[in-house]
Amino acid sequence: IFCSGNLSMAGRANKVISKDMWEHSLRECRVGKEDMNALIMNYLVVEGYKEAAEHFASESGTPAAVNLESIEDRMAVRNSLQRGDVQDAVERVNDLDPLLLETNPVIFFHLQQQRLIELIRENKIKEALEFAQEELPPLCEDNPEFLEELERTMVLLAFGDKANSPLGDLLNSSQRQKVASELNEAILMSQNKDKEPRLRTLLKTMFWAQQQLERKCTFPAVTDVCAGILEGAQTDQK
């Protein structure tokens, strides 16, 4: 709104939008309560907060648009991965959708890679070597790009203190979380649901829009989403 028209002309100085002007414009932008509630419900459903979604639906009257019982199945898969029980996660996914892993070779490889990581974590070296030799090479033959990831995982075996090695990140809980999130998104897509919360998509769009706007204007940008702080432009002088 502020940066349209001739502001992009060569030689024209970028417009400076004060914090007062920016906040006034934000106040003029009305967001309905129903829209906000729908965003919150979508976040709770996609991220798997079943009980919170049930309470929110009861208190706000916002429909979930999905069977909340289906959340438990997805969360059971995620919980299995987060505690390192990859085999249980695979079995649960196959119960949900027998074709999901068969039609998603990248996710299936990452699950098998995670099984290898868990064996290494437990210091089951012989089992890890046997698993790596028997289960993973066929996947790499069909998808050569997997080979680098497999080799990186196998290098863990060369270190005594694996957790503090240069590849120790593979043993972090964040590695389990990454695989769990990837699988959760695939399950949601197989069920024709949003693979990520719409709120997260809106935030990504906001940051992208800010980057585009910075080419034309100086304005108070959001730098801290949690605090909602605007920075970058001064308040109007009285």
Side-chain angles (χ1 to χ4, degrees):
I1 296 174
F2 291 112
C3 301
S4 59
N6 59 7
L7 288 175
S8 61
M9 294 174 59
R12 179 71 178 269
N14 286 352
K15 183 170 183 177
V16 177
I17 304 171
S18 70
K19 187 175 182 180
D20 290 338
M21 185 185 298
W22 192 259
E23 289 182 339
H24 173 75
S25 297
L26 290 177
R27 287 192 294 270
E28 292 296 311
C29 181
R30 306 294 183 183
V31 180
K33 185 176 181 180
E34 289 185 0
D35 292 331
M36 290 294 295
N37 287 346
L39 273 178
I40 295 170
M41 178 59 78
N42 173 262
Y43 178 85
L44 295 175
V45 168
V46 173
E47 290 299 306
Y49 298 109
K50 177 176 177 287
E51 292 185 5
E54 290 174 337
H55 287 305
F56 188 71
S58 176
E59 294 176 2
S60 68
T62 305
V66 299
N67 180 3
L68 292 179
E69 296 303 321
S70 66
I71 294 177
E72 290 187 352
D73 295 327
R74 283 193 293 114
M75 290 306 98
V77 172
R78 170 175 282 182
N79 291 338
S80 293
L81 282 173
Q82 289 178 334
R83 68 173 182 266
D85 192 345
V86 181
Q87 183 58 36
D88 183 65
V90 169
E91 292 174 359
R92 289 179 180 276
V93 170
N94 287 333
D95 288 340
L96 283 174
D97 185 347
L99 295 179
L100 192 148
L101 297 181
E102 183 178 330
T103 55
N104 287 273
V106 174
I107 293 175
F108 183 58
F109 170 77
H110 286 158
L111 286 169
Q112 296 294 74
Q113 180 190 25
Q114 190 62 38
R115 286 184 67 182
L116 176 59
I117 290 171
E118 299 301 339
L119 289 172
I120 295 173
R121 183 199 308 276
E122 296 170 11
N123 207 32
K124 297 179 178 178
I125 306 305
K126 182 180 178 180
E127 292 180 42
L129 289 171
E130 291 176 352
F131 182 80
Q133 292 170 355
E134 296 174 5
E135 301 295 336
L136 293 171
L139 300 178
C140 295
E141 288 177 5
D142 295 333
N143 300 274
E145 65 273 17
F146 296 162
L147 186 58
E148 183 177 348
E149 292 187 67
L150 173 57
E151 290 175 345
R152 184 170 183 266
T153 304
M154 293 300 292
V155 171
L156 268 175
L157 294 170
F159 297 95
D161 186 0
K162 298 175 179 55
N164 294 313
S165 72
L167 299 175
D169 60 291
L170 292 174
L171 299 175
N172 292 342
S173 59
S174 59
Q175 168 66 22
R176 289 176 173 175
Q177 178 61 45
K178 182 175 72 173
V179 177
S181 295
E182 184 180 13
L183 184 54
N184 185 55
E185 289 181 4
I187 295 172
L188 287 166
M189 290 180 66
S190 73
Q191 297 172 345
N192 296 316
K193 299 172 184 175
D194 294 333
K195 71 174 185 178
E196 72 173 5
R198 295 171 188 170
L199 181 59
R200 187 178 300 157
T201 302
L202 283 175
L203 288 174
K204 290 179 181 178
T205 303
M206 181 196 74
F207 284 117
W208 175 85
Q210 285 190 162
Q211 291 176 349
Q212 301 304 306
L213 198 56
E214 285 171 352
R215 300 176 182 179
K216 299 181 179 181
C217 307
T218 299
F219 66 99
V222 176
T223 57
D224 187 335
V225 174
C226 295
I229 296 174
L230 296 173
E231 296 181 357
Q234 298 300 318
T235 302
D236 288 337
Q237 298 296 319
K238 299 296 184 180

